[in-house]
Amino acid sequence: MYDVSKNRSALTGPGSCPSRLSDRARLALHMLLSDLGLPLLGQQQQPHTSWRGSVRQLGLIMLLMALMWFVRLYLHYCSQWLYLQAIAVPVNKFQFHAHTVELVYQSSLLHIWEELAMLVVGPLTLNALTFLLVLIRWGCQQIFGSLPSFTSKFIMAQGVWTVLDPLAVFAVDAVLGRLTYSPDTPVGDAAKLYWHFYRVDQSGAAGVIITLFLYAVLFLLSITILSIYLLRFHNDGHMLDIFQRLTAKEGTYFLPQDLELSNQELSYIVKKAEQWRGFNGERRKVAVYDYIWTAEDPLPDSAASNNDSLREGAPLPEGETSTHVVIYTLYLSGLKQRYRHFLRQSDGAIIE
């Protein structure tokens, strides 16, 4: 569990701007390590068990990221293939590989708007899938209250790859030499508009500008969906809960006292105690004691004035009342032993 008190000064403590900025960066790093299940920096833990669990968590995350690479890759290019089928453009080659997908089509048959749609259909499909997963996560949280941590890591991996999808596709295309035009080999997504404008206007500068603009819009959309998920739904909103608790004013949140319980729970305990019977005839009884503290008037003639007010039917002086509820175990020998006891304070808090 992440220790909030150690980092409260990161947002509320005094200090200069650079120190507060470094504290916030340290807080963000600790929150990231905590959400990933890794040991916190400087935290005292048992060497074998903690690192074994951390390695297991890190291995699970890396395996999940590796699996989501294929989901992202094939979903990206399958959506492009479906779009080409929808607009009746012939596909010359559609072959899957572990690192990429070869999709060769006759780009000369596409208009500018169709080429624009071809560029954004892959990332938009991934964003739609991520948004759908976030909605499912929200619905399950409303119905079931909580879900296994694996689902949070799965959606997080999908969101991260959605943000990195244009960059990952560009990196693979650059390594494979797909930024140049060839009718027999695929053309990278980042170079589609460049070569389209180059064929029409003998200059691809407009295509580069439009590509950068579209990628910027897609990045903002992807990072927005991922940020909303990480803040409000990842690990049941752990990050947002910590941030709100650190920045909220004193008294905003209700903090129960140690060993505090509700009135319903106390009623249930008392009812079960009255019904309890032991093997040797023991039984339990509940005793209730009221302790009343009254604020008295320090003036000498306060006693006479108080008696007059009581005779006239005036309300009792202001004070506080505490109730002591004791559960005794009664033995046949006459022994009375205290089993449990509770104190209801004047503010309504019930403490065992």
Side-chain angles (χ1 to χ4, degrees):
M1 182 62 68
Y2 181 72
D3 191 358
V4 179
S5 60
K6 292 182 179 180
N7 295 277
R8 182 175 295 275
S9 61
L11 295 176
T12 60
S16 59
C17 292
S19 62
R20 295 185 64 183
L21 183 60
S22 62
D23 289 339
R24 295 188 181 189
R26 191 181 305 111
L27 172 63
L29 178 60
H30 283 199
M31 292 173 62
L32 178 61
L33 294 177
S34 177
D35 284 337
L36 294 179
L38 302 179
L40 301 180
L41 300 178
Q43 185 176 3
Q44 298 293 334
Q45 293 182 345
Q46 298 180 0
H48 298 288
T49 58
S50 62
W51 284 107
R52 187 179 305 169
S54 301
V55 170
R56 188 183 301 111
Q57 289 289 336
L58 185 60
L60 176 61
I61 294 174
M62 294 179 63
L63 177 61
L64 190 58
M65 292 293 292
L67 293 177
M68 294 307 297
W69 162 273
F70 298 101
V71 175
R72 173 208 62 84
L73 177 66
Y74 298 147
L75 189 61
H76 177 100
Y77 285 99
C78 285
S79 61
Q80 290 184 343
W81 180 82
L82 290 175
Y83 174 72
L84 292 175
Q85 298 298 317
I87 61 177
V89 173
V91 177
N92 300 331
K93 187 177 183 181
F94 187 52
Q95 186 175 358
F96 292 89
H97 299 281
H99 59 288
T100 186
V101 175
E102 295 186 18
L103 179 60
V104 181
Y105 60 95
Q106 299 181 15
S107 58
S108 59
L109 301 178
L110 272 66
H111 299 287
I112 178 61
W113 299 110
E114 295 173 341
E115 198 72 75
L116 285 172
M118 189 67 182
L119 176 64
V120 301
V121 65
L124 283 180
T125 302
L126 295 176
N127 278 281
L129 176 61
T130 305
F131 185 70
L132 179 61
L133 291 176
V134 172
L135 289 180
I136 294 175
R137 180 69 173 84
W138 173 79
C140 293
Q141 184 175 350
Q142 297 296 321
I143 298 174
F144 304 106
S146 180
L147 288 177
S149 60
F150 176 79
T151 58
S152 296
K153 292 182 175 61
F154 175 80
I155 301 177
M156 182 186 67
Q158 170 63 26
V160 170
W161 275 125
T162 300
V163 175
L164 299 178
D165 175 68
L167 182 61
V169 172
F170 173 78
V172 174
D173 291 339
V175 172
L176 297 179
R178 293 181 176 179
L179 300 182
T180 58
Y181 177 76
S182 176
D184 299 329
T185 59
V187 178
D189 289 357
K192 291 181 184 297
L193 292 181
Y194 173 84
W195 290 110
H196 183 88
F197 279 94
Y198 185 82
R199 288 194 305 267
V200 176
D201 300 332
Q202 299 300 317
S203 176
V208 174
I209 296 175
I210 296 176
T211 300
L212 293 176
F213 173 76
L214 292 177
Y215 276 169
V217 173
L218 291 172
F219 175 78
L220 291 177
L221 176 62
S222 304
I223 202 68
T224 300
I225 297 176
L226 181 61
S227 300
I228 292 175
Y229 168 74
L230 290 177
L231 287 177
R232 297 190 174 274
F233 303 107
H234 183 65
N235 288 343
D236 297 327
H238 181 225
M239 288 188 179
L240 183 62
D241 179 70
I242 291 179
F243 178 79
Q244 289 179 346
R245 289 178 183 273
L246 289 175
T247 57
K249 296 181 179 180
E250 192 71 23
T252 302
Y253 292 97
F254 171 73
L255 299 178
Q257 301 183 19
D258 296 338
L259 301 179
E260 183 176 351
L261 66 159
S262 63
N263 191 26
Q264 291 80 3
E265 186 175 359
L266 178 60
S267 300
Y268 175 78
I269 293 174
V270 170
K271 182 179 179 181
K272 296 296 290 185
E274 292 286 351
Q275 298 175 352
W276 182 85
R277 294 295 182 272
F279 291 103
N280 298 321
E282 302 92 346
R283 56 194 180 93
R284 287 175 181 157
K285 286 296 182 181
V286 180
V288 180
Y289 306 94
D290 288 333
Y291 302 98
I292 303 176
W293 175 83
T294 304
E296 298 180 354
D297 193 349
L299 297 178
D301 56 346
S302 60
S305 61
N306 287 338
N307 293 333
D308 295 339
S309 62
L310 290 176
R311 294 191 187 97
E312 296 173 359
L316 294 175
E318 295 183 358
E320 296 181 355
T321 302
S322 299
T323 303
H324 188 203
V325 180
V326 186
I327 302 177
Y328 292 101
T329 301
L330 305 180
Y331 296 90
L332 296 179
S333 61
L335 177 64
K336 182 173 67 173
Q337 184 179 7
R338 187 175 63 186
Y339 173 65
R340 299 176 71 176
H341 63 127
F342 308 89
L343 179 63
R344 185 182 186 275
Q345 299 178 350
S346 58
D347 57 356
I350 303 175
I351 304 174
E352 183 173 4

